[in-house]
């Protein structure tokens, strides 16, 4: 890659948002843990230090090796990163009298300062810290203040080293994108060349070089990620790609046959494998969500191992893994951020499976995958499909998995999703689904008392799944959907709607 930005992760909940904002500027960036810097820094044209839950004043302060960065590569410290640059280079960081959290406004900005070009006094910023910078380092120059935070932004000497106490990556900082553009484009001199067309051209060339004439097996799911990965690989290696769509028994209603039919017209070599009994039998009696994920991931590997033996000389297993999968599973590439959940398609292969892994989308966010799909000429209907979890309905059935529960949830989900389409709401929602809860509730149907299952409906709006807000669906739609579910799905007598956002919740319930 050309014109890379390196983001060092200190465990901030906002680190991934920094990457998203940088990518929005058509600049490629990578997140690395603060204590695992790349050996070769020559490919990076700028470095950003993230925030952190730690304090620079504590014995547990996180210490990056900036010896080959500070003063040599344009450097921006955000929150903890700014405090680190101040505290360990001659300044002073101390506890704030009050926790400085939430909206603030810039009360002063240094005149004719390129870092704040096109940003005016009064611009809203977002603070989230309990320490504050009391004194700047020697040779540091104050660039901006707020009413409560004097040293809100500064520059160190003649270096292209900057620190900001606020978070430019969050939505609440109104000119955050402009500030990042000022630093990356106008100060660091990066070119804004990270585009879908450039990604396709570069990735196809890399795949051709890496794979050559080897045969590749790809697990299709019917979703956006695996579809784009398949078309990208097909563009690179053509007939050497062998796609497999596995029915794990946990798909949506009629999805196995419908997806196979949709792929017929895309020129891909696709084989359908019905392994539903194999998955459902292995999941019987298991309630723990992480164990369910691992069981499903293990069987997927076994199924693909079986199919690989049927493809002579297959040497690669391709996966539609994207960047948020890797971040949530491996804690920002191994950094201090908390792991949220494991993903069945993230990680290595067992020793007995003699296939190499290729993940052409592993550095893309979801919205970037869709833009690449447009460049590849994939039809809107496929690219607009809601994300669906790899483990399928297994993580939307809380508790143990049975064939009866799967059948119930498939019917509920079909009513909900089809209803969104009929009401013209599907494309206004980023992801939607139904959860089967491990509780029974009392109800009255006709003149009889019932004691049946409860389902929760979930619909969120998001850009890439890293954060999400619940969608305020019309009451009339929810009322009709609830009535349809209770009247048409035996065993369900109560429907609730989930109004939790991410964070603090996650999109899926398990």
């Amino acid at each position: 890659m050309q014109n890379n930005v390196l983001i060092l992760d200190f465990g901030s909940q906002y680190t991934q948002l920094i990457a998203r904002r940088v990518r929005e500027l058509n600049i490629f960036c990578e997140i690395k843990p603060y204590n695992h810097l790349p050996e070769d820094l020559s490919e990076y044209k700028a470095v950003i230090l993230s925030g952190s839950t730690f304090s620079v004043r504590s014995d547990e302060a996180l210490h990056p090796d900036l010896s080959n960065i500070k003063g040599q590569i344009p450097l921006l410290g955000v929150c903890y990163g700014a405090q680190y640059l101040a505290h360990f280079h001659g300044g002073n960081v101390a506890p704030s009298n009050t926790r400085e959290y939430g909206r603030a406004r810039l009360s002063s900005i240094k005149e004719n300062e390129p870092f704040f070009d096109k940003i005016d006094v009064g611009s809203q910023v977002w603070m989230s810290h309990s320490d504050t910078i009391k004194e700047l380092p020697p040779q540091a120059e104050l660039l901006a203040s707020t009413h409560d935070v004097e040293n809100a932004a500064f520059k160190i000497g003649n270096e292209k080293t900057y620190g900001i106490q606020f978070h430019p990556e969050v939505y609440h900082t109104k000119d955050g994108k402009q500030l990042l553009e000022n630093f990356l484009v106008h100060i660091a001199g990066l070119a804004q060349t990270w585009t879908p067309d450039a990604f396709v051209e570069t990735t196809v060339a890399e795949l051709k070089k890496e794979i050559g004439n080897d045969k590749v097996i790809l697990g299709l799911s019917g979703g956006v990620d695996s579809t784009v990965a398949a078309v990208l690989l097909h563009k690179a290696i053509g007939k050497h790609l062998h796609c497999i769509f596995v029915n794990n028994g946990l798909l949506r209603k009629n999805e196995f046959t419908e997806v196979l039919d949709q792929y017929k017209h895309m020129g891909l070599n696709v084989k359908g494998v019905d392994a539903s009994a194999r998955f459902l039998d292995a999941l019987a009696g298991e309630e723990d969500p992480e164990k369910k994920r691992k069981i499903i991931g293990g069987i997927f590997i076994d199924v693909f191992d079986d199919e690989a033996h049927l493809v002579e000389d297959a040497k690669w297993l391709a996966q539609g893994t994207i960047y948020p999968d890797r971040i949530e599973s491996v804690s920002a590439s191994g950094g201090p951020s908390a792991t949220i959940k494991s993903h069945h398609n993230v990680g290595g292969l067992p020793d007995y499976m003699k296939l190499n892994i290729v993940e052409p989308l592993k550095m893309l966010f979801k919205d970037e995958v869709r833009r690449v799909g447009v460049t590849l000429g994939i039809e809107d209907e496929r690219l607009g499909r809601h994300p669906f979890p790899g483990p399928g309905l297994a993580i939307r059935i809380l508790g143990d998995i049975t064939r009866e529960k799967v059948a119930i949830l498939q019917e509920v989900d079909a009513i909900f999703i089809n209803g969104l389409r009929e009401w013209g709401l599907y494309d206004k929602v980023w992801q939607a689904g139904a959860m089967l809860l491990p509780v029974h509730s009392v109800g009255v149907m006709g003149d009889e008392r019932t004691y049946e299952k409860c389902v929760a409906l979930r619909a969120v709006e998001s850009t890439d799944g890293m954060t999400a807000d619940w969608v305020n669906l019309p009451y009339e739609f929810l009322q009709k959907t609830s009535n349809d579910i209770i009247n048409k799905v035996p065993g369900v007598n109560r429907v609730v709607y989930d109004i939790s956002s991410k964070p603090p919740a996650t999109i899926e319930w398990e």
Side-chain angles (χ1 to χ4, degrees):
M1 297 292 177
Q2 298 281 326
N3 294 304
N4 289 0
V5 174
L6 174 62
I7 300 171
L8 295 185
D9 176 29
F10 294 87
S12 168
Q13 62 178 320
Y14 299 137
T15 301
Q16 294 78 34
L17 291 181
I18 299 176
R20 285 293 304 113
R21 296 295 175 259
V22 173
R23 297 279 186 92
E24 287 174 3
L25 294 169
N26 294 327
I27 295 172
F28 182 74
C29 64
E30 295 179 86
I31 298 173
K32 299 291 184 182
Y34 77 96
N35 54 353
H36 288 87
L37 275 69
E39 291 185 6
D40 183 10
L41 292 171
S42 62
E43 63 181 290
Y44 298 102
K45 307 304 181 186
V47 177
I48 299 176
L49 310 180
S50 83
S52 178
T53 57
F54 291 84
S55 169
V56 297
R57 301 179 298 101
S58 72
D59 294 337
E60 292 78 30
L62 308 181
H63 292 276
D65 180 5
L66 300 180
S67 57
N68 294 318
I69 297 176
K70 184 178 177 294
Q72 301 174 56
I73 303 174
L75 176 63
L76 172 62
V78 176
C79 198
Y80 178 92
Q83 293 176 359
Y84 188 91
L85 292 174
H87 191 68
F88 292 102
H89 293 87
N92 179 36
V93 173
S96 175
N97 293 331
T98 59
R99 193 176 194 282
E100 295 164 342
Y101 182 86
R103 295 173 178 83
R105 294 190 179 276
L106 297 177
S107 57
S108 66
I109 297 175
K110 182 178 180 290
E111 291 186 4
N112 302 318
E113 170 52 49
F115 189 68
F116 282 98
D117 186 35
K118 298 180 182 178
I119 301 174
D120 298 324
V121 170
S123 179
Q124 179 178 290
V125 298
W126 183 263
M127 298 287 187
S128 181
H129 56 98
S130 55
D131 288 344
T132 195
I133 301 171
K134 294 292 188 181
E135 296 179 18
L136 293 177
Q139 288 82 48
E141 182 180 11
L142 178 64
L143 300 184
S145 304
T146 69
H147 181 269
D148 295 318
V149 180
E150 179 183 2
N151 298 309
F154 62 90
K155 177 180 183 292
I156 295 182
N158 294 322
E159 303 175 11
K160 293 181 179 180
T161 299
Y162 296 81
I164 50 176
Q165 187 60 80
F166 54 90
H167 290 269
E169 67 274 22
V170 302
Y171 170 78
H172 305 291
T173 297
K174 299 303 182 182
D175 292 312
K177 184 177 179 180
Q178 180 65 56
L179 186 141
L180 289 172
E181 180 178 345
N182 291 343
F183 172 68
L184 295 173
V185 178
H186 305 306
I187 294 173
L190 277 85
Q192 295 172 277
T193 55
W194 174 247
T195 64
D197 288 341
F199 174 82
V200 170
E201 181 181 351
T202 302
T203 303
V204 167
E206 290 174 348
L207 290 171
K208 286 180 177 179
K209 181 179 179 181
E210 184 177 21
I211 297 172
N213 292 320
D214 293 346
K215 293 179 180 178
V216 178
I217 297 174
L218 168 67
L220 282 174
S221 69
V224 175
D225 302 336
S226 67
T227 299
V228 173
V231 175
L232 196 58
L233 280 159
H234 184 261
K235 187 177 179 66
I237 63 174
K239 64 181 181 180
H240 296 296
L241 175 65
H242 296 259
C243 300
I244 300 169
F245 181 41
V246 176
N247 180 9
N248 60 5
L250 300 161
L251 302 175
R252 285 172 158 154
K253 184 179 180 181
N254 300 325
E255 188 170 22
F256 185 56
T257 55
E258 289 176 357
V259 169
L260 284 175
D261 184 63
Q262 290 169 350
Y263 280 124
K264 282 182 181 178
H265 310 291
M266 296 183 65
L268 300 174
N269 176 21
V270 183
K271 177 182 179 181
V273 178
D274 188 355
S276 53
R278 190 169 175 179
F279 282 87
L280 293 173
D281 288 345
L283 287 166
E286 183 56 64
E287 297 184 1
D288 183 84
E290 277 298 294
K291 290 181 179 178
K292 287 193 289 186
R293 288 178 182 270
K294 293 185 184 302
I295 288 171
I296 293 168
I299 296 177
F300 262 114
I301 293 295
D302 292 341
V303 170
F304 282 110
D305 188 44
D306 293 343
E307 294 300 321
H309 285 94
L310 301 178
V311 179
E312 187 176 355
D313 296 327
K315 295 183 179 180
W316 297 84
L317 173 64
Q319 299 183 143
T321 310
I322 63 174
Y323 208 29
D325 296 340
R326 296 164 61 84
I327 291 170
E328 290 193 338
S329 293
V330 297
S331 220
S333 302
S337 299
T339 298
I340 299 171
K341 60 192 175 191
S342 63
H343 288 257
H344 79 281
N345 61 336
V346 176
L349 294 175
D351 293 337
Y352 66 80
M353 193 173 184
K354 306 302 181 183
L355 293 175
N356 298 310
I357 292 180
V358 57
E359 297 171 316
L361 308 178
K362 65 182 179 181
M363 296 306 293
L364 297 185
F365 288 93
K366 176 69 76 173
D367 58 316
E368 293 173 325
V369 174
R370 287 195 167 100
R371 291 201 293 271
V372 168
V374 171
T375 294
L376 291 169
I378 300 174
E379 58 190 28
D380 292 342
E381 183 180 355
R382 295 237 50 80
L383 295 177
R385 184 181 185 269
H386 289 179
F388 188 65
L393 300 180
I395 58 170
R396 293 183 177 179
I397 298 173
L398 278 66
D400 67 318
I401 310 296
T402 67
R403 287 168 170 78
E404 177 193 12
K405 290 180 179 179
V406 172
I408 289 174
L409 190 55
Q410 284 177 330
E411 294 297 329
V412 171
D413 180 84
I415 291 172
F416 184 31
I417 299 301
N418 291 337
L420 288 171
R421 288 194 171 99
E422 291 168 4
W423 282 62
L425 297 169
Y426 186 85
D427 292 334
K428 299 178 181 179
V429 172
W430 191 79
Q431 182 172 342
M435 321 293 161
L436 185 63
L437 307 186
V439 296
H440 287 70
S441 68
V442 174
V444 177
M445 301 181 74
D447 293 326
E448 297 183 2
R449 176 183 181 276
T450 62
Y451 189 60
E452 295 179 332
K453 299 183 184 299
C454 174
V455 295
L457 306 182
R458 181 99 159 112
V460 300
E461 54 186 4
S462 180
T463 300
D464 50 43
M466 300 305 300
T467 61
D469 289 323
W470 63 278
V471 177
N472 189 4
L473 294 174
Y475 288 147
E476 295 81 4
F477 168 77
L478 291 174
Q479 181 182 44
K480 185 178 188 307
T481 302
S482 175
N483 288 340
D484 287 347
I485 290 171
I486 292 172
N487 289 331
K488 296 178 181 180
V489 184
V492 176
N493 70 353
R494 191 176 297 270
V495 178
V496 299
Y497 186 56
D498 182 351
I499 59 170
S500 307
S501 294
K502 175 186 180 179
T506 56
I507 295 176
E508 300 295 338
W509 278 42
E510 286 195 340

